[in-house]
């Protein structure tokens, strides 16, 4: 009987997984790394500021802080705008100020101007305004006065309150309308009508078009398209804001600045221009 040949085992074809998935993952990882590296490089100052703030909050007591991380951040921004003019703004929240020594920021940057709160709503008067207004002039600072607008109060009475209590002179800044809140008792359209009424009445009295102060988001969403002719002063404290936008004239870049003669934190401001440019913002 002939021996049967052993059957050869059938070779099964092994299907190798294509490397496309792995390559795609590597590409995603590489792109993610590049994006992270770009963000770290572009916002390195802000990131360092956050890490320093966390470090001081966790490992240091308030008593050991002489220069805070807020001051470090402010100095970085001031350095990046050294071709512009610097100032600050105050209200009664800064209590009594020693104006004799309030002449510089961090003993490095000269102070050129100050904004002072004058009135609030239909009958509010800042009880430190008269002293601040008088002593700011003795320091030869360019002075500005602002009115804090209360959205649900009568706009005509608010304008009259500001006019009655704010003696602006040639050489002072044009009047400033501070609007930060949305109304609770009326629509946004009615709010803007009230703002325009205030601006019109104040312009008629002083003979100059007032400036508007507001937060960056508030301005973008509620004001920008409606008051194109008014000069703009914007508050924005974002860690990642390094430069002023083209349509900002003043930038309040921190509310935690330090100034000699003032015990509390202070709002610091940059004017986008030089001494010649700032004349367009003054009462003639």
């Amino acid at each position: 009987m002939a021996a049967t040949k052993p059957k050869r085992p059938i070779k099964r074809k092994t299907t190798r997984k294509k490397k496309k998935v792995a390559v795609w993952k590597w590409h995603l990882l590489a792109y993610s790394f590049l994006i992270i590296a770009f963000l770290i490089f572009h916002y390195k100052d802000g990131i360092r500021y956050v890490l320093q703030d966390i470090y001081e909050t966790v490992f240091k007591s308030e008593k050991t802080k002489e220069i805070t991380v807020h001051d470090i951040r402010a100095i970085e921004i001031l350095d990046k705008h050294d071709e512009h003019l610097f100032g600050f703004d105050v209200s009664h929240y800064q209590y009594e100020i020693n104006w004799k020594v309030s002449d510089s920021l961090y003993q490095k940057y000269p102070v050129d101007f100050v904004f002072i709160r004058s009135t609030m709503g239909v009958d509010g008067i800042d009880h430190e305004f008269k002293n601040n207004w008088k002593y700011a002039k003795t320091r030869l600072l360019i002075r500005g006065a602002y009115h804090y607008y209360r959205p649900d109060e009568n706009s005509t009475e608010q304008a009259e309150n500001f006019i009655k209590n704010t003696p602006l002179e040639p050489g002072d800044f044009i009047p400033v309308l501070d609007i930060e809140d949305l109304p609770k008792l009326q629509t946004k359209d009615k709010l803007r009508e009230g703002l325009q009424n205030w601006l019109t009445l104040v312009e008629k009295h002083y003979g100059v078009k007032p400036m508007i102060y507001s937060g960056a988001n508030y301005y973008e969403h509620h004001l920008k398209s409606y008051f194109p002719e008014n000069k703009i002063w914007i508050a924005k404290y974002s860690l990642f804001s390094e430069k002023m936008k083209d349509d900002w004239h003043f930038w309040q870049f921190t509310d935690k600045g330090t100034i000699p003669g003032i015990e509390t934190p202070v709002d610091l401001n940059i004017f986008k221009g030089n001494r010649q440019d700032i004349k367009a913002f003054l009462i003639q």
Side-chain angles (χ1 to χ4, degrees):
M1 185 173 172
T4 59
K5 294 182 180 179
K7 294 182 179 179
R8 294 181 180 179
I10 299 173
K11 291 184 179 180
R12 295 182 178 179
K13 294 182 179 180
T14 57
T15 57
R16 294 182 180 180
K17 293 183 179 180
K18 295 181 180 181
K19 296 183 179 180
K20 287 185 178 180
V21 176
V23 171
W24 177 81
K25 288 182 178 179
W26 279 109
H27 284 174
L28 178 61
L29 184 62
Y31 288 137
S32 300
F33 176 78
L34 290 174
I35 292 172
I36 293 171
F38 171 78
L39 292 173
I40 291 174
F41 176 79
H42 192 69
Y43 296 121
K44 58 184 181 297
D45 292 334
I47 293 170
R48 184 172 72 253
Y49 170 84
V50 172
L51 294 176
Q52 284 181 300
D53 198 16
I54 293 172
Y55 171 77
E56 291 198 357
T57 301
V58 175
F59 297 104
K60 290 186 176 183
S61 69
E62 290 293 326
K63 293 181 180 179
T64 63
K65 294 182 183 179
E66 293 183 359
I67 297 181
T68 69
V69 291
H70 302 290
D71 296 323
I72 294 171
R73 178 60 174 160
I75 291 170
E76 290 173 346
I77 291 177
L78 290 167
D79 279 338
K80 291 178 180 179
H81 295 80
D82 59 358
E83 73 276 19
H84 298 327
L85 303 183
F86 305 134
F88 60 100
D89 60 273
V90 295
S91 67
H92 70 238
Y93 293 114
Q94 276 67 52
Y95 306 109
E96 187 174 346
I97 298 172
N98 182 358
W99 287 93
K100 293 182 180 179
V101 297
S102 300
D103 57 356
S104 68
L105 307 180
Y106 306 107
Q107 299 179 342
K108 181 179 180 181
Y109 313 95
V111 172
D112 292 288
F113 61 87
V114 60
F115 288 102
I116 303 169
R117 187 174 69 171
S118 174
T119 51
M120 307 86 76
V122 300
D123 57 3
I125 302 172
D126 192 300
H127 58 74
E128 289 294 335
F129 175 72
K130 286 185 177 180
N131 280 337
N132 288 336
W133 192 247
K134 177 176 68 175
Y135 289 116
K137 187 172 185 178
T138 67
R139 297 300 301 160
L140 301 179
L141 297 175
I142 301 174
R143 306 175 302 178
Y146 70 91
H147 172 82
Y148 181 83
Y149 192 91
R150 291 175 177 159
D152 290 314
E153 296 185 4
N154 184 277
S155 60
T156 297
E157 294 179 16
Q158 293 199 60
E160 291 171 348
N161 184 28
F162 180 77
I163 291 168
K164 179 181 177 181
N165 294 286
T166 314
L168 299 180
E169 304 171 355
D172 294 333
F173 279 120
I174 57 179
V176 180
L177 174 61
D178 173 358
I179 173 64
E180 305 175 35
D181 302 315
L182 291 173
K184 297 179 180 179
L185 305 177
Q186 59 179 320
T187 65
K188 294 176 185 177
D189 287 337
K190 283 294 182 182
L191 167 66
R192 285 187 281 265
E193 287 180 17
L195 294 175
Q196 185 58 67
N197 182 52
W198 190 99
L199 294 167
T200 300
L201 293 172
V202 171
E203 179 179 358
K204 182 178 179 181
H205 178 79
Y206 294 103
V208 291
K209 195 175 292 293
M211 178 160 54
I212 295 175
Y213 165 93
S214 192
N217 290 333
Y218 191 106
Y219 173 70
E220 288 289 332
H221 292 99
H222 308 298
L223 303 175
K224 185 174 182 178
S225 301
Y226 299 91
F227 304 96
E229 297 181 1
N230 295 88
K231 292 178 170 60
I232 299 300
W233 172 18
I234 291 296
K236 187 172 185 181
Y237 312 143
S238 170
L239 301 180
F240 306 116
S241 295
E242 300 288 336
K243 291 287 184 179
M244 301 175 69
K245 289 191 176 181
D246 291 339
D247 56 345
W248 299 359
H249 301 106
F250 289 85
W251 177 23
Q252 185 185 91
F253 64 91
T254 182
D255 60 347
K256 293 180 173 62
T258 301
I259 294 182
I262 303 179
E263 296 181 0
T264 66
V266 188
D267 301 333
L268 302 184
N269 299 275
I270 298 172
F271 168 66
K272 189 168 63 177
N274 54 36
R275 293 183 182 278
Q276 185 64 32
D277 300 325
I278 207 167
K279 292 180 181 179
F281 293 77
L282 308 182
I283 295 175
Q284 303 302 319

